[in-house]
Amino acid sequence: MKAEYVNSFFQATRDVFRLMLDLDIQRGNLALVEGMIGSKDANVILGVTGDLKGSILFSFPKDMTLEMVKIMCGMEMQVIDSFVSSALGEIANIIGGNALTILNSNNYICDIVPPQIFVGEYKSFSMANEKALLLPLMTKIGTLDIHIFLKEK
Amino acid sequence: MMWKDKYKVGVSLIDTQHEELFKRVSEFIETVQNNDNWEHKLDKVKETMIFMQEYVIIHFNAEEAYQEKINYPDIENHKKIHSDFKKMVTDYVTVLEENGYPEKIVQELGGKLMAWLIMHVAKTDQLIGEYVKSQGGEM
């Protein structure tokens, strides 16, 4: 998998976090992993179609998820309910859309499938023995993981 | 409260309306998210939702009229973004009416609306201010 795929998602996440949440993110070590497993409390998966095909999985810890939504609406959140998970899904959707704009400028024309959100489930996504890239991103309110699995058509 | 001064575009008409829109969206979200019994607060949920929807239309129309007035180059794209958003909200309202306003779906609309609005105002609408500034206009 090419570095520009990873950079597009890193750049888009960094920009959206700054703009919407006033949070800076730091890039952790990139790892090659066997499967895409959303092992944190809130997981959002986006499908990618077009010149690149595959999936992007965002995984967030509970406290981080609640704090992100609090930053946006100014209200204390106690549980990951439909309001919180929907806001989180929309953030991931915006990140995905912005990443694809960056990829488009590098001549990969892609589209995203609306996000699916899984809360409190240990979710594993089958990838037919292919490997994905795992990019941890650190912020002052917690660490989110992004799994990237993209193949050229 | 959702509004932050950093969301200002630099055009007084738009900024005043954005602040009002954020206020109405906040009121809707606060009503949806408070701990009252759902059946008990449903009338208030509907009332704040209509109040917010009305202002979305007022504001989008005013912002588009302003873009026409200043010959904003990206106006068609911006109108399309507004129209897609209005469709998303209308589709939700149809589902809500058909299903008796279930809490889960109203919450879902609230979350989506909030994140979309912040991103739209903090990014897309900022370009209007940048254009006005580049033309030597109001800042």
Side-chain angles (χ1 to χ4, degrees), chain B residues 4 6-7 14 16 28 34 39 48 51 65 70 72 75 77 79 87 94-95 97 99 106 116 123:
Chain B
K4 292 176 185 152
K6 73 164 197 167
Y7 299 148
I14 297 178
T16 309
F28 167 60
N34 72 28
E39 297 307 320
T48 53
F51 191 58
I70 61 165
Y72 186 55
I75 185 167
N77 182 38
K79 277 185 178 173
K87 185 177 180 309
T94 308
V95 173
E97 280 171 355
N99 294 281
V106 179
W116 186 94
K123 190 177 182 190

Side-chain angles (χ1 to χ4, degrees), chain A residues 111-145:
Chain A
D111 218 337
I112 45 172
V113 178
Q116 277 184 283
I117 305 147
F118 303 93
V119 178
E121 293 171 51
Y122 187 79
K123 191 84 185 166
S124 170
F125 300 89
S126 163
M127 291 170 25
N129 297 323
E130 303 263 10
K131 285 188 167 58
L133 287 171
L134 167 61
L135 177 66
L137 298 174
M138 283 86 79
T139 75
K140 66 177 182 191
I141 61 163
T143 298
L144 72 135
D145 288 339

Side-chain angles (χ1 to χ4, degrees), chain A residues 3-4 16 24 31 38-39 44 54 61 72 78-80 86 91-92 101 114-115 125 132 134 136:
Chain A
E4 58 194 306
V16 169
D24 284 322
S39 54
V44 185
M72 286 194 284
Q78 309 297 335
V79 288
I80 306 180
S86 163
I91 293 172
T101 305
F125 300 89
L134 167 61

Side-chain angles (χ1 to χ4, degrees), chain B residues 24-36:
Chain B
R24 292 193 188 197
V25 173
S26 285
E27 203 182 333
F28 167 60
I29 291 171
E30 277 164 29
T31 309
V32 173
Q33 290 302 102
N34 72 28
N35 290 326
D36 278 4

